[in-house]
Amino acid sequence: MPITKLLDDNCKKRIKPTLLRDVKTEALLVFSRTALERYFEQIDEAGYKPSVGTDEDTIYVYDTLRKLLVNLQECVVNVDYAINLVQGAKKYPELRSLAKLEEPLINYYDVMAEKVSKYYADKPAYLPECLVVCLLGDWILEEEKSVNLYPFLKEINFLDLIGKFESNRKSFEKNDECKISEVHELSFKIIEKLKNKKYKVNKARVSKTRKK
């Protein structure tokens, strides 16, 4: 299996950060791409038309998110890449060095995925598209993380997108619970997990080959 095939099949022009702090941003974008892909695939297959307030607001929100997904698919991998890489590395030795290089990204992604999994352990997930908007808005605006590697993110008004959901909270209530508030709460918890996750490269490790 050519090492590049995993990447070529998943992402056209990947932007690969070199600094760990930027890898956290990449991991968040991997999470966002994966969530949006699954969401749009599901609603397109079901023929479901989501809405946020007026027709104009709905078109603005979902056209923006579909455009965001296209941009992410061009330069950011999704979780399938990580899964295939980890599984492939067990079978193909030539993939092991690549899998090692991707460890920080996979670690950062996993801590977010685990938080979502636990949060929705006893209830169905809801509004994944709103969660993506909140996560990116919190990361870029509240945490002031650099997105210079991904200039298309600067073209998106995340406050405006969040405002569209906020203005229509009543439409997203279920069993007398405000699902928008729930999404904000989860977003905060995910961001905190990502911020606090540490990854240290083991520079002291000596390979068995070198030891001999």
Side-chain angles (χ1 to χ4, degrees):
M1 174 190 292
I3 287 180
T4 56
K5 183 168 172 39
L6 269 173
L7 180 57
D8 293 342
D9 287 350
N10 194 278
C11 181
K12 299 174 185 176
K13 301 175 183 177
R14 185 181 180 189
I15 297 172
K16 181 58 184 167
T18 55
L19 301 176
L20 280 178
R21 66 170 182 265
D22 292 329
V23 177
K24 285 192 174 185
T25 297
E26 183 188 19
L28 184 56
L29 296 181
V30 172
F31 183 94
S32 299
R33 172 184 165 175
T34 303
L36 289 176
E37 275 181 338
R38 291 175 176 173
Y39 173 71
F40 283 122
E41 283 172 6
Q42 288 174 357
I43 67 170
D44 289 346
E45 286 176 9
Y48 173 71
K49 300 296 182 184
S51 65
V52 180
T54 66
D55 289 343
E56 185 179 353
D57 286 345
T58 296
I59 291 170
Y60 166 67
V61 169
Y62 290 97
D63 280 3
T64 300
L65 291 178
R66 285 185 184 274
K67 183 179 178 182
L68 169 61
L69 176 57
V70 170
N71 285 324
L72 290 174
Q73 287 171 328
E74 184 170 308
C75 65
V76 177
V77 297
N78 66 10
V79 73
D80 294 331
Y81 166 80
I83 293 171
N84 291 335
L85 178 58
V86 171
Q87 292 177 345
K90 297 174 183 176
K91 188 175 181 180
Y92 301 99
E94 64 267 31
L95 288 179
R96 289 171 190 165
S97 59
L98 177 59
K100 185 64 181 175
L101 287 173
E102 299 287 16
E103 268 188 10
L105 175 66
I106 294 170
N107 273 252
Y108 295 145
Y109 178 90
D110 283 349
V111 77
M112 292 185 287
E114 183 181 2
K115 173 52 67 176
V116 173
S117 178
K118 287 182 177 179
Y119 193 88
Y120 289 118
D122 57 355
K123 55 186 173 182
Y126 193 53
L127 291 171
E129 77 278 29
C130 182
L131 178 59
V132 168
V133 170
C134 290
L135 284 170
L136 293 177
D138 288 346
W139 190 251
I140 297 168
L141 303 176
E142 296 297 323
E143 300 299 329
E144 298 182 338
K145 301 298 183 181
S146 171
V147 290
N148 288 333
L149 292 174
Y150 311 97
F152 58 88
L153 292 174
K154 297 179 181 180
E155 299 173 6
I156 299 175
N157 188 331
F158 288 102
L159 281 180
D160 198 21
L161 289 175
I162 292 170
K164 300 300 182 186
F165 286 99
E166 288 284 357
S167 299
N168 295 278
R169 278 173 169 257
K170 286 289 182 183
S171 303
F172 302 111
E173 284 186 359
K174 283 205 168 185
N175 301 321
D176 295 324
E177 293 181 0
C178 179
K179 292 301 177 179
I180 298 298
S181 295
E182 184 178 278
V183 169
H184 278 299
E185 177 187 354
L186 177 56
S187 176
F188 174 79
K189 290 181 177 181
I190 292 172
I191 294 297
E192 287 301 301
K193 281 286 185 181
L194 181 58
K195 281 168 52 182
N196 295 327
K197 178 66 177 177
K198 306 294 182 186
Y199 178 84
K200 292 185 179 180
V201 179
N202 187 0
K203 296 180 179 179
R205 193 179 73 175
V206 178
S207 70
K208 292 179 181 178
T209 304
R210 285 175 58 195
K211 259 188 158 181
K212 292 176 184 177

